[in-house]
Amino acid sequence: RLNDTAAAAVAEGMNANPDTARTVARYLGGGTGRRIAEALNRNTAILRPLIENLSPGVGAAIAEGLNQNTSDLSLQLMANLSSKVGRQLALGLGDNPALLENILPRLNAHVGREVAAGLNENSATRSPSFLQAMLSATSPGFAQVIVDAMNNPPYNMDAFISALIRNLDPDTAQAAAEGINANPDLLTHLVRNLDGTSAAQQLNQNEAWLTSLVANLDGAALADAVNDAL
């Protein structure tokens, strides 16, 4: 198993040659994605030091590679990642929000649909799910990247965000709500910082998901978040 030092060294190597990350993300198959997820589930400790040391250029390269990938890589990854991976991923991105800032706006609608399908499967078959654990550990810095993607032109019309939201199902909404309920600071940050018009434009694309999300949110926590935001 890789340790923290080895994970940081892997990141350093990727930073030195982002083209490798782009090529790998483009050509990995779905079966390989599933096996990568299973390997990460067995060795979650490497994720945070790996992610927190990756450069923004590697993030952009990964996004560009995923956009060109014609397999179901993104679906298989999302469907098979564990809750422990979700927590470590959130912590790593919280330490390095610039990485996600260079991934999220570049992803296309195809990747959005794949990620949604994988999250739907994961939320239906795992408890706690990857998404629940990730949101429960999401920091304000990580959350702000999501807020910016929904608030700021051209990202609020970004194909990835639109396709992702449009294809999520009620099981995933419940998982998201459970994660947010465990992280009241996240809910407060979202309510305070999301632009109402932009958020509504995105969320109205999937009313069934939004209805399930609101139904499963802790009412007292939601009221506190609204009070804090006003």
Side-chain angles (χ1 to χ4, degrees):
R1 292 188 176 188
L2 292 176
N3 58 25
D4 289 11
T5 301
V10 170
E12 184 177 346
M14 294 176 70
N15 294 340
N17 190 4
D19 285 343
T20 299
R22 181 184 296 106
T23 301
V24 170
R26 179 178 182 180
Y27 290 110
L28 283 179
T32 303
R34 183 179 65 255
R35 290 188 289 274
I36 290 172
E38 292 166 351
L40 290 174
N41 293 344
R42 294 191 298 269
N43 191 12
T44 58
I46 68 166
L47 273 168
R48 188 174 186 177
L50 175 65
I51 292 167
E52 68 186 6
N53 286 290
L54 288 174
S55 70
V58 170
I62 290 171
E64 292 160 3
L66 290 175
N67 289 343
Q68 298 174 64
N69 190 298
T70 57
S71 75
D72 61 346
L73 171 66
S74 297
L75 187 159
Q76 292 295 336
L77 278 171
M78 292 297 100
N80 290 287
L81 291 172
S82 70
S83 59
K84 291 181 179 179
V85 170
R87 176 173 175 77
Q88 292 302 313
L89 179 64
L91 293 173
L93 290 171
D95 295 334
N96 187 7
L99 180 66
L100 189 61
E101 288 171 0
N102 280 269
I103 294 176
L104 198 57
R106 288 179 167 84
L107 292 172
N108 64 21
H110 170 72
V111 178
R113 287 188 291 270
E114 289 250 334
V115 169
L119 289 174
N120 291 342
E121 182 177 335
N122 188 287
S123 298
T125 58
R126 292 178 178 267
S127 182
S129 70
F130 167 84
L131 181 62
Q132 177 184 343
M134 185 181 73
L135 291 176
S136 71
T138 293
S139 68
F142 178 5
Q144 189 59 42
V145 178
I146 300 171
V147 168
D148 289 343
M150 296 185 72
N151 282 357
N152 298 324
Y155 305 143
N156 63 353
M157 296 302 292
D158 178 73
F160 172 80
I161 293 289
S162 296
L164 175 69
I165 293 174
R166 200 162 49 242
N167 288 280
L168 293 173
D169 69 13
D171 283 333
T172 308
Q174 181 176 348
E178 290 168 351
I180 293 170
N181 289 341
N183 189 356
D185 289 343
L186 171 60
L187 181 59
T188 299
H189 188 88
L190 293 175
V191 171
R192 181 181 294 145
N193 292 286
L194 277 172
D195 178 85
T197 300
S198 296
Q201 182 180 17
Q202 297 290 342
L203 295 173
N204 285 341
Q205 297 179 88
N206 191 341
E207 292 184 7
W209 186 84
L210 178 60
T211 299
S212 180
L213 176 71
V214 173
N216 286 284
L217 284 174
D218 180 271
L222 180 58
D224 287 343
V226 172
N227 288 334
D228 287 344
L230 298 177

